[in-house]
Amino acid sequence: MYAQMVKSEGMKSRDEMTPEEQAFQDRVDRGEKIEPKEWMPEGYRKTLIRQIGQHAHSEIVGQLPEGNWITRAPTLERKAILLAKVQDEAGHGLYLYSAAETLGVSRDELTEKLHSGAMKYSSIFNYPTLTWADMGAVGWLVDGAAIMNQVPLQRTSYGPYSRAMIRICKEESFHQRQGYAIMMKMAEGTPAQKEMAQDALNRFWYPSLMMFGPSDAESVHSAQSIAWKIKINTNDELRQKFVDQTVPQAEYLGLSIPDDNLRWNEEKGGYDFSEPNWSEFFEVIKGNGPCNRERMNARVKAWDDGAWFREGLYAHAEKAAHRRAAATTAAE
Amino acid sequence: MEKAATGAILNPVEDRFVSDDALAPAFFEWLCRMGDSALVLGHRVSEWCGHAPALEEDIAMANTALDLIGHTQMWLGLAGEVEDKGRDADALAYLRDALQFRNLLLCELPNGDMGVTIMRQFLFDARHYALLMRLTGSVSPRVAEIAAKAVKEASYHLERSSDLVVRLGDGTDESQRRMQAALGQLWPYVDEMFVADAVDEAVAKAGIAPDPSDLKAEWEETVRSVLAEAMLDMPGPAGFAQTGGVIGRHTEHLGYILAEMQFLQRAYPGARW
Ligand SMILES: [Fe+2]
Ligand SMILES: [Fe+2]
């Protein structure tokens, strides 16, 4: 889940809606897809831009913690798999920026907002990747949590977003399986490898739970997004589902979830578990996580250092267009 | 994702050269040259992941690196078979030190700015493509098979790097200045791609590979025409050429590449990943 705390609009009751808004809501309720050229409430458009933009930024910044291990991957095959994964994430960013563009905002505008801090990306990518086991933990837990959120979003009301999610989900499940395969090798490996695997789970467990955003009680913006089918499930529902899915997977690996309060609750048919430290979450969101500065600096540096490159390409395209035009005129 | 799994060749075709003891030392060396250049250049290109000037470049460079790592798996895999001492591609990639590495110096040079990275890629691709095209007609069926697969990717790499050289050379004043500077910086390393030694002569005599010096005319023609379109000046003869990579005499940079690349295999001997 790469969209956390996306600001939505205040929920309107049916009586407060204009006839246009009522008709729009009816279409959403019937499960129709909204397409770019069609009328939509301004709040719907703005909320979608914020959410899709944040999701796109997360894919882009998400290249960094895993890119960190490409040059150190332990076998040629692992290196190829990791390269392909990071490449997929950049591709996800591209689909999502394209989806956002259909709402009238350019990729450059969104990039600028990311760099100025006006837009956020998922808190998870502000945690460091310290050992090779982290490549396993990120695939297993982080891609796993992303899938949990994105599978329902395939049914979101906005057509281009829904289609982007369908493409992305296929690749994310590859990523999760590959991550789990790394964890498996480590967990059944030497004592040092097993220690790295447990340590990676210890460090990534709570940050993964944070990916779903704060508890529903504090999520003031959910109701309108849910009515618009921009958000399909509540944060707590998804977090519960994630825990219920992940605990048996950890048991299978022979690793322990770092939570003394974790136990099966027969009555609710799910696990009871400890909440992550939400004050840490808000600090990370504010920019005070372990890697916020590194991540942002890396992105801004890539952008600034590449300015001459992009300008060179624009200038060439313009010259070429000019030459073509001149050639056409000459031929007439 | 499908790409990652293509390294291993299932059911290899019969190839008498693979078990030719007299040829083995030279054939092994030559295969390491092929594999190591792909590995080291792939490593360098992969350093850009997440740091490229545009999202399309992040994707394209990851793709190039991925292709090159795939080539490495094939060439070093075959090298291990020819050597016949139980070393596979991973053992060759991760457990040899700089003295045993056989890559071209050009491949290990630092990325510099995008200008250096793209120019390095172009100079390499132009020769890589010419070489692989000829290798598709190798008398060794295994070499021909690998080349047939790799040349499709190398052809795309060359198309892409030529295109970028042209667009940046004939772009802004700054992009042109940077591309010209990159060319000047890399030029002393190009001759190494065309110098033949006893290893090359042995595999050429067997009909496995062309003599590297035979590739020069085709390479020059490609480079000359692309640079002309890019409005860049082709430097004259390199003067004192930097060579030695293919016999294990490297720049200072390779040691750092290997330290990083081989860290896990060296720190945890025998572990499986
Ligand atoms: Fe993704
Ligand atoms: Fe992913």
Side-chain angles (χ1 to χ4, degrees):
Chain A
M1 148 127 29
Y2 293 158
Q4 294 160 322
M5 304 182 66
V6 173
K7 190 171 161 295
S8 183
E9 306 297 312
M11 180 80 177
K12 276 189 184 172
S13 70
R14 192 147 187 104
D15 300 343
E16 295 168 317
M17 289 182 194
T18 65
E20 257 174 330
E21 286 169 343
Q22 286 180 2
F24 178 85
Q25 188 61 51
D26 291 342
R27 291 189 61 198
V28 170
D29 292 343
R30 282 197 299 270
E32 285 178 31
K33 292 278 178 262
I34 309 301
E35 294 302 332
K37 293 272 152 58
E38 297 169 342
W39 187 87
M40 61 187 78
E42 193 51 20
Y44 176 85
R45 198 182 68 84
K46 281 189 177 154
T47 309
L48 269 175
I49 289 176
R50 281 193 288 262
Q51 180 165 330
I52 299 174
Q54 190 183 114
H55 189 163
H57 296 328
S58 300
E59 301 283 358
I60 301 313
V61 178
Q63 292 180 94
L64 298 171
E66 290 183 286
N68 184 35
W69 278 90
I70 290 173
T71 55
R72 290 178 290 173
T75 69
L76 294 170
E77 196 189 350
R78 291 282 177 220
K79 191 190 285 288
I81 291 172
L82 185 58
L83 260 167
K85 185 193 175 195
V86 175
Q87 185 191 27
D88 284 348
E89 304 303 3
H92 297 172
L94 206 54
Y95 308 154
L96 287 161
Y97 285 127
S98 305
E101 274 172 352
T102 65
L103 294 159
V105 59
S106 73
R107 199 205 305 179
D108 285 1
E109 284 172 71
L110 290 173
T111 302
E112 226 163 79
K113 285 189 173 164
L114 171 68
H115 293 174
S116 73
M119 284 183 86
K120 303 284 184 211
Y121 55 91
S122 177
S123 56
I124 191 72
F125 300 118
N126 292 310
Y127 289 86
T129 53
L130 302 177
T131 73
W132 175 252
D134 291 10
M135 295 304 97
V138 168
W140 171 36
L141 302 173
V142 175
D143 289 82
I147 292 169
M148 207 48 92
N149 177 55
Q150 291 170 16
V151 164
L153 277 176
Q154 295 178 105
R155 293 181 284 115
T156 184
S157 59
Y158 189 55
Y161 192 26
S162 157
R163 290 187 286 274
M165 281 300 131
I166 291 168
R167 289 176 78 177
I168 289 173
C169 279
K170 282 192 196 131
E171 294 178 345
E172 297 297 7
S173 45
F174 260 123
H175 298 169
Q176 194 194 17
R177 258 179 282 161
Q178 287 155 353
Y180 196 70
I182 291 175
M183 287 309 267
M184 187 84 96
K185 274 268 189 250
M186 305 283 286
E188 67 188 21
T190 65
Q193 285 176 301
K194 189 156 186 178
E195 189 188 340
M196 285 186 244
Q198 181 62 57
D199 179 65
L201 174 55
N202 293 350
R203 281 182 289 109
F204 276 97
W205 175 252
Y206 288 106
S208 300
L209 297 187
M210 292 176 197
M211 286 176 70
F212 298 96
S215 170
D216 295 340
E218 289 176 59
S219 284
V220 285
H221 305 301
S222 284
Q224 180 62 73
S225 284
I226 287 176
W228 277 333
K229 293 192 187 159
I230 290 173
K231 198 176 163 93
I232 310 290
N233 302 91
T234 69
N235 297 347
D236 287 334
E237 276 167 21
L238 291 170
R239 190 169 13 251
Q240 181 70 50
K241 246 180 119 178
F242 175 76
V243 171
D244 293 345
Q245 175 188 288
T246 308
V247 171
Q249 293 171 345
E251 277 167 7
Y252 188 77
L253 292 171
L255 300 178
S256 40
I257 303 279
D259 180 359
D260 292 338
N261 298 318
L262 185 86
R263 54 185 58 83
W264 180 255
N265 179 333
E266 193 61 54
E267 214 169 294
K268 76 171 179 187
Y271 286 90
D272 290 332
F273 58 93
S274 301
E275 289 279 308
N277 178 346
W278 290 113
S279 62
E280 175 180 316
F281 170 78
F282 288 111
E283 285 299 327
V284 175
I285 290 283
K286 262 194 275 170
N288 299 323
C291 298
N292 292 64
R293 286 170 195 86
E294 279 96 332
R295 300 291 185 244
M296 237 34 273
N297 289 346
R299 288 310 306 163
V300 171
K301 184 175 189 309
W303 187 250
D304 291 349
D305 288 356
W308 71 269
F309 174 91
R310 295 187 303 274
E311 284 157 15
L313 297 189
Y314 293 138
H316 180 81
E318 244 162 59
K319 284 187 198 177
H322 230 81
R323 275 182 225 138
R324 269 194 305 275
T328 319
T329 320
E332 277 162 5
Chain B
M1 237 19 287
E2 307 89 68
K3 266 188 167 164
T6 54
I9 291 179
L10 302 169
N11 306 320
V13 289
E14 266 303 302
D15 189 335
R16 68 188 167 86
F17 296 98
V18 175
S19 47
D20 181 336
D21 289 344
L23 187 65
F27 196 11
F28 172 74
E29 279 284 307
W30 180 83
L31 287 164
C32 287
R33 291 178 183 181
M34 295 300 292
D36 291 347
S37 282
L39 175 57
V40 171
L41 184 59
H43 181 102
R44 279 298 190 213
V45 175
S46 78
E47 291 174 352
W48 276 102
C49 249
H51 304 277
L55 201 39
E56 287 80 357
E57 294 306 313
D58 273 317
I59 294 172
M61 286 206 277
N63 197 56
T64 302
L66 196 50
D67 290 342
L68 290 169
I69 299 306
H71 299 180
T72 305
Q73 288 175 293
M74 296 190 285
W75 292 124
L76 292 186
L78 184 54
E81 283 181 57
V82 168
E83 187 194 37
D84 199 22
K85 286 186 184 159
R87 292 200 282 185
D88 61 7
D90 280 339
L92 290 169
Y94 287 93
L95 300 172
R96 283 176 303 152
D97 202 351
L99 289 180
Q100 281 86 45
F101 260 74
R102 297 290 180 259
N103 60 286
L104 295 162
L105 297 179
L106 181 70
C107 299
E108 70 197 45
L109 297 177
N111 285 340
D113 64 4
M114 274 292 278
V116 173
T117 293
I118 287 159
M119 189 57 82
R120 180 185 64 196
Q121 191 71 40
F122 168 64
L123 296 171
F124 177 84
D125 289 344
R127 187 260 197 182
H128 196 208
Y129 176 72
L131 172 59
L132 290 172
M133 272 308 275
R134 293 187 204 204
L135 291 178
T136 59
S138 170
V139 295
S140 158
R142 294 288 299 281
V143 168
E145 187 182 36
I146 295 173
K149 210 187 149 308
V151 77
K152 291 183 202 135
E153 293 162 349
S155 155
Y156 177 70
H157 298 172
L158 176 59
E159 206 177 289
R160 201 184 95 80
S161 59
S162 305
D163 180 57
L164 282 173
V165 166
V166 168
R167 288 155 73 193
L168 293 167
D170 183 21
T172 59
D173 288 348
E174 183 181 6
S175 70
Q176 184 184 39
R177 180 181 59 70
R178 285 178 185 258
M179 295 311 280
Q180 191 69 56
L183 187 57
Q185 185 186 324
L186 297 169
W187 202 247
Y189 296 90
V190 300
D191 274 356
E192 191 187 12
M193 298 193 284
F194 309 105
V195 191
D197 65 3
V199 168
D200 298 300
E201 279 157 22
V203 290
K205 198 162 150 256
I208 291 174
D211 187 304
S213 57
D214 291 348
L215 303 169
K216 182 128 196 210
E218 185 183 337
W219 177 86
E220 250 174 21
E221 204 181 294
T222 307
V223 171
R224 192 181 306 281
S225 78
V226 169
L227 292 182
E229 203 188 335
M231 320 263 239
L232 296 171
D233 298 325
M234 182 143 164
F240 189 71
Q242 300 297 322
T243 61
V246 299
I247 57 166
R249 206 163 297 158
H250 291 277
T251 67
E252 290 179 346
H253 306 296
L254 184 68
Y256 292 94
I257 292 179
L258 298 184
E260 190 171 334
M261 182 170 81
Q262 299 178 339
F263 149 66
L264 283 170
Q265 290 285 355
R266 300 289 193 181
Y268 303 96
R272 297 169 57 85
W273 306 91

